[in-house]
Amino acid sequence: MTITSQPSADGQELTIAISGRFDFNAHQAFRDAYQRQDVSPQRYVVNLQGTTYMDSSALGMLLLLRDHAGGDEADIRLLNCSPDVRKILSVSNFEQLFVIA
């Protein structure tokens, strides 16, 4: 499991990339990815291209990011989901809370 974060040049967007298993073991690294930044982004992108597995704790972590980013006003996109990850997000009705592309 590897989690990296990269702010855009203007600091308006933060991209968080997750590769490997996205589960409880990623909790602290995921929080650090968005909380330990010197910028206050308006948009968040979570790149799930390399994510091979996602469990319920990962769903909870995405909800924590949503709360951190402003709740209902948050602009968070979940990108490059594998079919398995997309199915988990769909079953959990996360398309109601996030833009999934």
Side-chain angles (χ1 to χ4, degrees), residues 62-73:
L62 290 172
L63 293 174
L64 289 173
L65 170 61
R66 185 173 184 268
D67 289 344
H68 174 82
D72 289 342
E73 305 302 316

Side-chain angles (χ1 to χ4, degrees), residues 57-98:
S57 63
L59 297 174
M61 287 183 263
L62 290 172
L63 293 174
L64 289 173
L65 170 61
R66 185 173 184 268
D67 289 344
H68 174 82
D72 289 342
E73 305 302 316
D75 183 356
I76 303 172
R77 291 175 282 147
L78 309 180
L79 304 182
N80 303 315
C81 302
S82 70
D84 289 341
V85 168
R86 183 177 277 280
K87 183 175 181 181
I88 291 166
L89 294 169
S90 178
V91 166
S92 304
N93 283 323
F94 269 45
E95 60 271 328
Q96 305 295 321
L97 304 173
F98 301 93

Side-chain angles (χ1 to χ4, degrees), residues 1-86:
M1 175 270 314
T2 303
I3 297 177
T4 59
S5 61
Q6 180 68 42
S8 62
D10 64 3
Q12 295 296 303
E13 182 173 277
L14 181 67
T15 299
I16 302 169
I18 303 166
S19 60
R21 294 175 61 89
F22 189 20
D23 57 18
F24 185 75
N25 293 324
H27 181 75
Q28 191 61 51
F30 185 72
R31 286 183 61 137
D32 289 349
Y34 64 84
Q35 287 183 335
R36 297 188 182 220
Q37 295 294 321
D38 294 332
V39 296
S40 296
Q42 301 300 309
R43 298 176 306 280
Y44 293 83
V45 173
V46 180
N47 185 346
L48 297 169
Q49 183 171 10
T51 305
T52 57
Y53 172 80
M54 174 184 264
D55 68 3
S56 60
S57 63
L59 297 174
M61 287 183 263
L62 290 172
L63 293 174
L64 289 173
L65 170 61
R66 185 173 184 268
D67 289 344
H68 174 82
D72 289 342
E73 305 302 316
D75 183 356
I76 303 172
R77 291 175 282 147
L78 309 180
L79 304 182
N80 303 315
C81 302
S82 70
D84 289 341
V85 168
R86 183 177 277 280

